[in-house]
Amino acid sequence: MWLKSLRLKMKVVKKRCLVRPYGWIFFTFHDSAQKLIRPTTYRLLKCLCMTLCPWFKGPMRLGSAWFLCAMSARLLARAQSLPLPARAADAPGGSNFVQRVRSLSPFQYDQEVAHQIMSGNVPPFLRRLCPVTITNIAGGATSSATFFVTPDYLAIGSDDDFFRAPMTPATAQSIADKLGCLLPTRKMVDAIYNAAEVKLAPLPIPPSPAMTTVPVFALHNEMVRTQRVESLAAHPLGALVAGHQKDVVIGPQLPGAPGKVAIYGWHRTNGAAIQPLYLGHSAAWVDYSQCIRLVQQSMIVNGATTTVAQVLTDPKLCDLLSDQGVITHPRYGAGESQTNFVVEPEVKVCINSPPAADFAPDKPVQLIFYALPNGNTIAQTLGHQLQPGDDWHFDIQHIVAQTRFLRALLPHRAVVLVCLEAASKSWPAWRKAHGDQDIPGIIEDVKKRFAGQRFEIALAGHSGGGSFIFGYLNGVEAIPGDIERIAFLDSNYAYDAGRGHANKLTAWLKNAETHYLTVLAYDDANALLDGKPFVSAEGGTWGRSHAMLKDLGAQFGFNSRTNSTGLEIYSAQGGRVQFLLKENPAREVMHTVQVERNGFIHCMVSGTTEEGKGYEYFGRRAYAEWILP
């Protein structure tokens, strides 16, 4: 009722303020802030200034207006909060959480940290953000900015019992993305320390292999808790605290240092940071000293609402938040992590995983095995934004960018990419040297790294990579049920009905309605390389695909049509079985073009409700925005 009463006075107040305009300072000062707070909060502050300012007399009028503006600015700052769900009554406290995760693997620990935070198990005080104001003078012009940060590092538990949780940058980035935040720059970390009400001295623990384990995480958390208790009376929880941890930060070096984490901070009480900016650790490195402070994307610059990302990419404003110039990509990759290892005999494996937050009990893991084409490395197959002097192979498949597109398209799955590179960069040559008996073991070895997950496995390959898939078929009596998708991307040269390939594929397709087969090919028999044919009518993928189609057609009724671009489409089993065969009247070489033009994406969603969403097979690169430096 009192708010309604204030509103009733607005007409009178407005008339008074036409003569005595000082009450309107609030609107000049806070127009940009209107977007940052709840509408009801903004209307309340607006009414308060409009109602009270005209009632002051003489010289007090201007001072009172500015006083109210300052107070409302403080209220605006305190209105910023993390958009997390409410903390459940039965959520574990920090101590209990530590006991739960003490024996987990690093990956499982990271996954559980993400789950607890995103489910709302975060102390209430940590949800309310603190303002940090910074001023910069450049070219004779002064710019001022206010950004909003968590008062302490991300933690799990209640106000009375919380655990500051170290985590990988991939998981931190995923959490930040979901909460409309990002990680700080080096300059922002310094500004946060300078603005902090509570400056805690660093408490290093002697280096040892145990520094990356949960028991040491918990030990350091308890040391900091004891330290923080001493200042609680003067500075309750929610006051901005700094100095007690290193920060995981962003900077312009990250795109050029894939698979690395940038660490900075741990300020001494004299303001000097113990840890200079360091990118020597892998992105999988997590120790007790590094934690995550979130920065809200929305901020205010010179009275206008903008975002931290926009400021960092603006050459005129970036110096407000960065002491390293423009940061065009202010984030860690796509929030993903990458692991490389070798499986004997002589197989290089690269696992590109989404953030731990994407792994949840109710989400299956789509484990995509992609066997590399002849002559290509894993790095070339993953791809990146082409730089001067780069080999052209980096710009022809972009499998990791297409995987990122799939992750956005399939939020109900955790999409994991597994690239397989054979010795000598040739799966046909590898099979000739080692046979087929070890290929199923490669699949099982990778699966063990995701123990406890529910799998949807896809086998895919391009060019000579198709030989890996046929080697797998030769190495098993029957295709296992957890193989849900098989895709040949212009790669079925080794198809041989005499080796039982048609029979095994038929039995597998009939075994479950969740099994999918996709074959991409083009008329390579009609293609010319340096003016000459290079494959026979029977030996290329065009010939092999028609042979495969004929054999499977004996068991499945195919529908066929040809679209306006000369793409022959053969479909059976409600779209679960697809052959997409590209005609080639111009006699072009379109071998890898089929992959580049969204072929990998299509092969992973063909026959489902996601087919054709946001992309077109043989259309423009739908994944262009996901190609990173």
Side-chain angles (χ1 to χ4, degrees):
M1 293 297 295
W2 62 271
L3 178 58
K4 183 176 180 181
S5 176
L6 283 177
R7 285 173 176 162
L8 292 176
K9 299 178 181 179
M10 287 179 66
K11 290 183 179 180
V12 175
V13 172
K14 187 172 182 179
K15 289 180 180 178
R16 290 179 180 176
C17 287
L18 291 176
V19 179
R20 306 183 188 110
Y22 307 113
W24 289 99
I25 293 174
F26 173 81
F27 303 107
T28 302
F29 190 76
H30 286 297
D31 272 351
S32 61
Q34 184 175 4
K35 299 177 182 178
L36 295 175
I37 60 172
R38 296 181 180 89
T40 52
T41 305
Y42 183 80
R43 288 195 297 269
L44 170 60
L45 294 172
K46 182 177 178 179
C47 288
L48 188 64
C49 280
M50 289 180 66
T51 303
L52 297 180
C53 288
W55 293 349
F56 289 98
K57 303 296 183 181
M60 291 183 62
R61 184 179 296 125
L62 181 57
S64 65
W66 279 108
F67 172 76
L68 285 173
C69 285
M71 291 301 295
S72 60
R74 185 172 179 84
L75 287 170
L76 290 174
R78 292 189 178 277
Q80 308 306 303
S81 62
L82 295 178
L84 285 165
R87 184 172 183 269
D90 60 350
S95 302
N96 184 265
F97 173 78
V98 167
Q99 295 306 314
R100 287 189 185 188
V101 300
R102 185 177 291 269
S103 60
L104 296 183
S105 70
F107 174 80
Q108 291 170 324
Y109 161 81
D110 220 39
Q111 183 179 354
E112 187 60 24
V113 165
H115 172 69
Q116 290 294 327
I117 290 174
M118 293 313 301
S119 65
N121 190 10
V122 173
F125 84 87
L126 197 57
R127 299 162 182 254
R128 298 185 295 272
L129 305 183
C130 296
V132 176
T133 298
I134 192 167
T135 301
N136 188 66
I137 301 175
T142 301
S143 295
S144 180
T146 299
F147 57 92
F148 301 89
V149 303
T150 50
D152 205 326
Y153 294 92
L154 276 182
I156 292 167
S158 65
D159 281 0
D160 296 324
D161 178 17
F162 61 89
F163 166 69
R164 296 175 185 84
M167 67 190 80
T168 63
T171 293
Q173 186 66 63
S174 177
I175 292 171
D177 290 343
K178 291 178 172 64
L179 299 181
C181 296
L182 39 62
L183 304 182
T185 64
R186 177 172 63 182
K187 183 171 183 176
M188 294 169 81
V189 171
D190 288 337
I192 292 167
Y193 183 80
N194 291 333
E197 292 183 42
V198 182
K199 295 178 172 65
L200 299 179
L203 297 173
I205 294 174
S208 75
M211 66 192 294
T212 61
T213 65
V214 173
V216 175
F217 295 173
L219 171 63
H220 188 259
N221 185 74
E222 180 60 22
M223 293 166 62
V224 173
R225 187 198 69 80
T226 302
Q227 190 182 27
R228 178 70 175 94
V229 165
E230 297 175 1
S231 61
L232 280 179
H235 304 283
L237 292 177
L240 185 59
V241 184
H244 51 309
Q245 305 281 170
K246 301 174 187 175
D247 280 82
V248 174
V249 297
I250 56 174
Q253 307 96 327
L254 287 180
K260 298 292 186 180
V261 59
I263 305 171
Y264 173 74
W266 226 8
H267 290 69
R268 297 184 176 92
T269 52
N270 64 3
I274 291 178
Q275 176 65 69
L277 184 63
Y278 181 69
L279 286 89
H281 288 312
S282 76
W285 175 268
V286 180
D287 71 42
Y288 75 92
S289 67
Q290 66 193 67
C291 278
I292 305 300
R293 193 188 298 271
L294 294 182
V295 180
Q296 184 178 254
Q297 273 279 16
S298 297
M299 63 175 297
I300 299 173
V301 175
N302 297 329
T305 303
T306 184
T307 68
V308 174
Q310 287 175 324
V311 172
L312 290 174
T313 57
D314 187 333
K316 296 181 180 179
L317 294 175
C318 64
D319 289 346
L320 275 167
L321 305 179
S322 168
D323 58 7
Q324 297 175 285
V326 169
I327 302 177
T328 58
H329 193 70
R331 56 179 295 109
Y332 281 86
E336 63 206 21
S337 61
Q338 197 157 290
T339 304
N340 296 276
F341 56 95
V342 174
V343 173
E344 296 298 339
E346 303 179 286
V347 178
K348 293 180 180 178
V349 181
C350 174
I351 301 178
N352 180 281
S353 300
D358 281 12
F359 293 85
D362 60 337
K363 291 173 63 172
V365 174
Q366 186 171 22
L367 200 57
I368 305 173
F369 290 86
Y370 184 79
L372 269 58
N374 294 344
N376 284 246
T377 66
I378 286 174
Q380 291 168 342
T381 296
L382 295 176
H384 61 231
Q385 290 177 7
L386 208 60
Q387 303 297 322
D390 278 351
D391 188 287
W392 57 274
H393 287 91
F394 287 99
D395 193 38
I396 59 174
Q397 295 182 79
H398 288 298
I399 296 302
V400 74
Q402 295 197 56
T403 299
R404 292 169 187 143
F405 178 96
L406 287 169
R407 287 173 182 149
L409 182 64
L410 306 172
H412 51 290
R413 288 180 174 86
V415 180
V416 176
L417 173 67
V418 183
C419 287
L420 305 171
E421 178 186 327
S424 73
K425 303 174 191 171
S426 169
W427 277 107
W430 187 94
R431 288 181 60 211
K432 186 175 181 179
H434 301 289
D436 298 328
Q437 66 276 3
D438 293 321
I439 291 180
I442 296 172
I443 304 295
E444 294 305 313
D445 186 276
V446 174
K447 287 170 62 178
K448 290 176 183 177
R449 295 171 181 267
F450 296 90
Q453 301 291 340
R454 178 164 56 93
F455 294 113
E456 295 177 357
I457 297 175
L459 303 181
H462 172 48
S463 185
S467 183
F468 171 86
I469 300 175
F470 288 118
Y472 180 84
L473 297 187
N474 295 341
V476 296
E477 290 294 324
I479 304 173
D482 62 356
I483 305 292
E484 296 208 349
R485 190 173 288 272
I486 296 176
F488 295 97
L489 290 84
D490 207 42
S491 63
N492 57 348
Y493 301 96
Y495 172 73
D496 186 350
R499 297 292 302 270
H501 297 163
N503 291 337
K504 289 181 179 180
L505 288 170
T506 297
W508 168 72
L509 286 167
K510 289 183 175 181
N511 187 46
E513 293 186 356
T514 55
H515 292 169
Y516 300 82
L517 172 67
T518 308
V519 178
L520 306 183
Y522 80 109
D523 189 357
D524 52 358
N526 194 42
L528 299 177
L529 181 63
D530 297 328
K532 299 177 181 179
F534 54 91
V535 295
S536 67
E538 296 79 21
T541 58
W542 184 259
R544 291 292 81 205
S545 294
H546 279 91
M548 197 174 179
L549 187 59
K550 179 180 177 181
D551 293 338
L552 294 179
Q555 298 293 326
F556 305 107
F558 279 90
N559 299 315
S560 64
R561 62 184 177 88
T562 302
N563 69 15
S564 59
T565 67
L567 184 66
E568 299 177 6
I569 303 171
Y570 299 85
S571 178
Q573 299 298 99
R576 289 195 296 114
V577 185
Q578 291 187 12
F579 284 69
L580 281 67
L581 311 181
K582 180 71 172 173
E583 296 174 351
N584 189 18
R587 313 195 76 175
E588 298 174 304
V589 177
M590 294 185 284
H591 185 47
T592 304
V593 171
Q594 297 166 87
V595 181
E596 175 191 359
R597 296 189 180 180
N598 310 318
F600 179 73
I601 293 170
H602 181 78
C603 284
M604 294 302 111
V605 297
S606 60
T608 71
T609 55
E610 284 81 18
E611 179 180 326
K613 286 187 177 180
Y615 78 94
E616 178 186 2
Y617 174 57
F618 237 85
R620 64 172 184 82
R621 293 179 174 183
Y623 53 87
E625 66 178 290
W626 295 106
I627 303 174
L628 304 181

